[in-house]
Amino acid sequence: MLEERYHHGDLRQALLAIAKQQLTSQGFETLSLRAISREAGVSHAAAYRHFPNKEALVAALACAGFEQLKAFVEAEVMQHSADPREQFFQCGIAYVQFALHNAPLFRVMFGVSGVDRLHYPATHAAAQASFGVLVGTIQRGQAAGLIGAGELRQLAFTAWAAVHGLATLALQDQITSQQGAIDSERLVRNSAKLLWNGLKYGQT
Amino acid sequence: MLEERYHHGDLRQALLAIAKQQLTSQGFETLSLRAISREAGVSHAAAYRHFPNKEALVAALACAGFEQLKAFVEAEVMQHSADPREQFFQCGIAYVQFALHNAPLFRVMFGVSGVDRLHYPATHAAAQASFGVLVGTIQRGQAAGLIGAGELRQLAFTAWAAVHGLATLALQDQITSQQGAIDSERLVRNSAKLLWNGLKYGQT
DNA sequence: CCTCTATGTTGACAGTGGTAACATTGCTGA
DNA sequence: TCAGCAATGTTACCACTGTCAACATAGAGG
């Protein structure tokens, strides 16, 4: 039984967990340090012992989001370890699915909050790491001779941008399929096929 | 000579103009109705005679942004009226350039504010209209026999997403070219070539 | 046991979006 | 012409927010 202690134990983690929960349930706009602290059963200023300000808390949230994204995409990709082309597709499909299923978190990760990620090295590193999954996938495609040469990171960046664009536009209801729901898999496959063809025929 | 009148004349437009100015100079996060009203020389509640709430003001800002974007892209495209392929490229280049040169506005247009665009018909319409420029460009490419068939809007959407992804990632300093500055033209051309090839060889 | 540091609390401050009650203006129709 | 009405601004207030300084408590190490 948890008694009321003066010292919480691991308030930092608790705050992050509650923040993530409130983020997903109420969106970013109404996210408030005070509400989070309240929910944690702690005074409104306690958070400042663990985060210099709200922005830092949000940056930490984004950091965790990138780690989650990386893990998710990696897992999906691994299910198709035999076929580099399918791996490439799965990368994108997983990315968009993650965005749609974790919309508020995804928005926080990508600038809703106006956080300059370069000011938060951990968050930036996590973002780069998640990007690395895509780079690796393309690299395997090249190794297998299925993709023409080209500057690796540039290719990866192009692919990333394409998929990222799909995800963000989809999140905005900018795309509304006739059936109402968004078929993210079909969406990505269409886009990925184009890119894959382009890659195959070299980028001249 | 402007005397101090009780009635402003066109407060709505004045507020929007000041808002846009403060947005570009200070970013979205610190944008405040009160500061805007102050700058307009009007009380902080006056704005509520013209906008039901802050979100509506922001939506109007986004609406104007889309109109500006459309005009800009259209103008750039028209400079290459002879060559559909180059028109396609210019579409993307102009899009990214607009994003980079109007970063805060662009972020407002695309969801920084968490505004559900469907609740603001005018804004939504303006967004669709700007999308229409790209659709038209691809259409001309098809008419000229330079692009394979395919569902028009789907193709356009794919291309839009690709370019939009480039723009948003670039805005986040997610991309940092070795030289420091972002060469948006090279960036887009790389991506657009891939897509164009993919389009040419059909989407199978 | 005593002190130092990490952690949490209280109370304040300025600033925000939003609303209600009141003031002023200028158009409209008798 | 002018009374009245709708549009537009103002003032005063509310609840809420992020942040800070001053204080309180707890636990770890000498």
Side-chain angles (χ1 to χ4, degrees), chain A residues 29 107 110-114 117 154 157-158 160-161 164-166 168 172 174-175 186 190-191 194 198 201-202, chain B residues 29 107 110-114 117 154 157-158 160-161 164-166 168 172 174-175 186 190-191 194 197-198 201:
Chain A
E29 281 66 31
R107 289 180 58 228
F110 290 99
V112 202
S113 54
R117 205 178 298 156
Q154 206 167 50
F157 187 79
T158 297
W160 183 20
H164 184 75
L166 287 177
T168 57
Q172 291 208 271
Q174 200 53 244
I175 172 179
R186 204 165 78 87
N190 278 329
S191 179
L194 288 186
Y201 295 111
Chain B
E29 280 66 32
R107 288 181 57 227
F110 290 99
V112 203
S113 53
R117 206 178 298 156
Q154 207 167 50
F157 187 78
T158 298
W160 184 19
H164 185 74
L166 288 177
T168 56
Q172 292 208 269
Q174 200 52 244
I175 171 180
R186 204 166 77 89
N190 277 329
S191 180
L194 288 185
N197 284 343
Y201 294 112

Side-chain angles (χ1 to χ4, degrees), chain B residues 37-55:
Chain B
S37 305
R38 218 175 297 140
E39 183 71 20
V42 102
S43 85
H44 62 267
Y48 288 89
R49 299 293 163 191
H50 301 273
F51 302 95
N53 51 35
K54 185 184 180 182
E55 191 178 278

Side-chain angles (χ1 to χ4, degrees), chain A residues 178-199:
Chain A
Q178 276 76 356
Q179 293 79 14
I182 299 176
D183 185 347
S184 58
E185 171 150 356
R186 204 165 78 87
L187 201 64
V188 176
R189 290 200 116 91
N190 278 329
S191 179
K193 274 182 214 155
L194 288 186
L195 286 178
W196 184 267
N197 285 343
L199 289 173

Side-chain angles (χ1 to χ4, degrees), chain A residues 4-12 14-16 18 32-51:
Chain A
E4 299 275 333
R5 293 177 302 176
Y6 191 90
H7 284 289
H8 180 284
D10 193 358
L11 184 54
R12 188 192 153 95
L15 290 174
L16 283 176
I18 292 171
S32 126
L33 272 186
R34 289 176 108 104
I36 294 168
S37 304
R38 220 175 293 138
E39 183 72 20
V42 103
S43 87
H44 62 268
Y48 286 88
R49 300 292 162 188
H50 301 273
F51 302 95

